Structures are given as structure tokens and as C-alpha cells.
Amino acid sequence: SESNTVPSMEEMRRLVVDWADVLLCSGGNTLHALLRWKETGLDLLLKEAAEKGTVLCGGSAGAGCWFSSIHSDSLRPDNAKNAEYIKNELDDNDLTNWDYVKISGLGILPAMAVPHFDATGSNDIARSDDAEQVLADEPDGMPAIGIDENAALVVEGDRAMVVSGDGEATCHVVVADEKTGETVTATLDPGDKPMLLEDIVSIAQTS
């Protein structure tokens, strides 16, 4: 980054850690965002804010960045800078020939986030199917939390609850057997009663 485009660490700390009560992260290219944050030191300040108890929220990439890892479409050709130029230069086959990628996140929540869990990418691969395959191929003991496009996962301390925007969208927990690699997906019911995170994971483990 050019030095004149990045606030000083002191200024970022004043805004992110000392001043803000809520930090809202937008969607976008997850890989680019996390690399940029690490380059500027913002990632450390976001973790510091989390330890302080600041409310962290966001949608899409902004929902996934708080987790240990994120199932992302950051390698999608039209999900990059100068996307309009890229669209004009590539044909339909080029635009749909891409793979999802697992990206390291900020590590505040111990799971792999899968935003848009109920969606299918422009590569014609369902996010849910690919996320299950990632867990099967790379069983590391961590679950995946799938978040439908019209749903939210609200976490406070060691408890979480699902909020549905339309009464149908929800969240899902996916676990993989470290020995066999087989995955199990369980749908979480929206409600107003928070559950322990470990109990949410056990729903899939006992399914």
C-alpha cells in the first residue's frame, strides 16, 4: 500500500478500538480484504476490538472474516478490481471457469464460515456441496457454519442463535469425521433462545 493512502496505526486504533461501538464489514473480495488488513495492521486492531467487546458484524465476506477460515469465491474473475473491464475481456466460459477457495480469517470464531450457503455460484457449483467437500478433503476438526443468504448467525460469548429474514432461510453446521472424511450437515432452527456453540456443533455430530 502507498503510505499516503493508509491511516497511521494510531489513527486506526483511535477509530477502530477506542471509538467504535460497532464495526460493520461490507461484502466484497474476501482474499483481497484480508491481505490488505494484514498489510496495514488493521487485522490486529480488529482482534483487539473483539477482545474489548466491540460488536462485530457484516454480510457475505463481512460475515465470514471473523471466523478461523472462510469458504470464498474470491477467485471468481468478476469478483476483483476492475470487474467491469474483466467482464468485457473474458468470454462466458472464462467467467464461469473458477474454483472456490478456503481462506484464513481473523480467527475470532472457531469454524469455517460459508456465506451464501444456499446459493450456487456462476461456476454452477453449489456452495453447500463444495464446502462439504472441503471439509472432507481437509478434516482439521473444525466445523463449518453455513449461513443462508437471508439469514444471520448472532454470537454473544459462547452462545449463538439463528435469525431468519424470511422465515425460511437459516444456518447450518457441517462436521467431518477426521478418520473417514464423511461429512454430516444439520440445519439449525431459527429462534429466540441462544444455544451454546458446542451444543450447536453436537447437533451435527449426533445426526
Side-chain angles (χ1 to χ4, degrees), residues 25 49 62 130 164 170 202:
C25 181
D130 194 81
S164 177
T170 186
S202 69

PDB file of all heavy atoms in Angstrom, residues 25 49 62 130 164 170 202:
ATOM      1  N   CYS A  25     -18.555  -4.741   8.548  1.00  0.00           N
ATOM      2  CA  CYS A  25     -17.706  -5.023   7.388  1.00  0.00           C
ATOM      3  C   CYS A  25     -18.585  -5.396   6.196  1.00  0.00           C
ATOM      4  O   CYS A  25     -19.433  -6.277   6.301  1.00  0.00           O
ATOM      5  CB  CYS A  25     -16.742  -6.164   7.710  1.00  0.00           C
ATOM      6  SG  CYS A  25     -15.632  -6.561   6.356  1.00  0.00           S
ATOM      7  N   ALA A  49     -10.211  -5.067  19.081  1.00  0.00           N
ATOM      8  CA  ALA A  49     -11.578  -4.582  19.303  1.00  0.00           C
ATOM      9  C   ALA A  49     -12.483  -5.724  19.748  1.00  0.00           C
ATOM     10  O   ALA A  49     -13.354  -5.545  20.610  1.00  0.00           O
ATOM     11  CB  ALA A  49     -12.112  -3.939  18.026  1.00  0.00           C
ATOM     12  N   GLY A  62     -18.023  -9.911   4.821  1.00  0.00           N
ATOM     13  CA  GLY A  62     -18.019  -9.239   6.111  1.00  0.00           C
ATOM     14  C   GLY A  62     -18.575 -10.071   7.236  1.00  0.00           C
ATOM     15  O   GLY A  62     -18.376  -9.753   8.411  1.00  0.00           O
ATOM     16  N   ASP A 130     -19.688 -27.747  -2.194  1.00  0.00           N
ATOM     17  CA  ASP A 130     -18.243 -27.543  -2.214  1.00  0.00           C
ATOM     18  C   ASP A 130     -17.685 -27.427  -0.801  1.00  0.00           C
ATOM     19  O   ASP A 130     -16.589 -27.927  -0.517  1.00  0.00           O
ATOM     20  CB  ASP A 130     -17.896 -26.293  -3.013  1.00  0.00           C
ATOM     21  CG  ASP A 130     -16.420 -26.230  -3.350  1.00  0.00           C
ATOM     22  OD1 ASP A 130     -16.003 -26.904  -4.324  1.00  0.00           O
ATOM     23  OD2 ASP A 130     -15.665 -25.540  -2.639  1.00  0.00           O
ATOM     24  N   SER A 164     -33.776 -15.568  11.002  1.00  0.00           N
ATOM     25  CA  SER A 164     -34.210 -15.743   9.612  1.00  0.00           C
ATOM     26  C   SER A 164     -34.888 -14.478   9.125  1.00  0.00           C
ATOM     27  O   SER A 164     -35.764 -13.929   9.799  1.00  0.00           O
ATOM     28  CB  SER A 164     -35.167 -16.926   9.491  1.00  0.00           C
ATOM     29  OG  SER A 164     -35.638 -17.049   8.160  1.00  0.00           O
ATOM     30  N   THR A 170     -31.965 -20.020   6.957  1.00  0.00           N
ATOM     31  CA  THR A 170     -31.442 -20.385   8.272  1.00  0.00           C
ATOM     32  C   THR A 170     -29.930 -20.585   8.190  1.00  0.00           C
ATOM     33  O   THR A 170     -29.286 -20.170   7.224  1.00  0.00           O
ATOM     34  CB  THR A 170     -32.151 -21.648   8.798  1.00  0.00           C
ATOM     35  OG1 THR A 170     -31.737 -21.910  10.137  1.00  0.00           O
ATOM     36  CG2 THR A 170     -31.851 -22.860   7.916  1.00  0.00           C
ATOM     37  N   SER A 202     -22.623 -30.137  18.232  1.00  0.00           N
ATOM     38  CA  SER A 202     -23.014 -31.512  18.571  1.00  0.00           C
ATOM     39  C   SER A 202     -24.282 -31.940  17.849  1.00  0.00           C
ATOM     40  O   SER A 202     -24.542 -33.133  17.694  1.00  0.00           O
ATOM     41  CB  SER A 202     -23.197 -31.649  20.082  1.00  0.00           C
ATOM     42  OG  SER A 202     -24.335 -30.920  20.535  1.00  0.00           O
TER      43      SER A 202
END
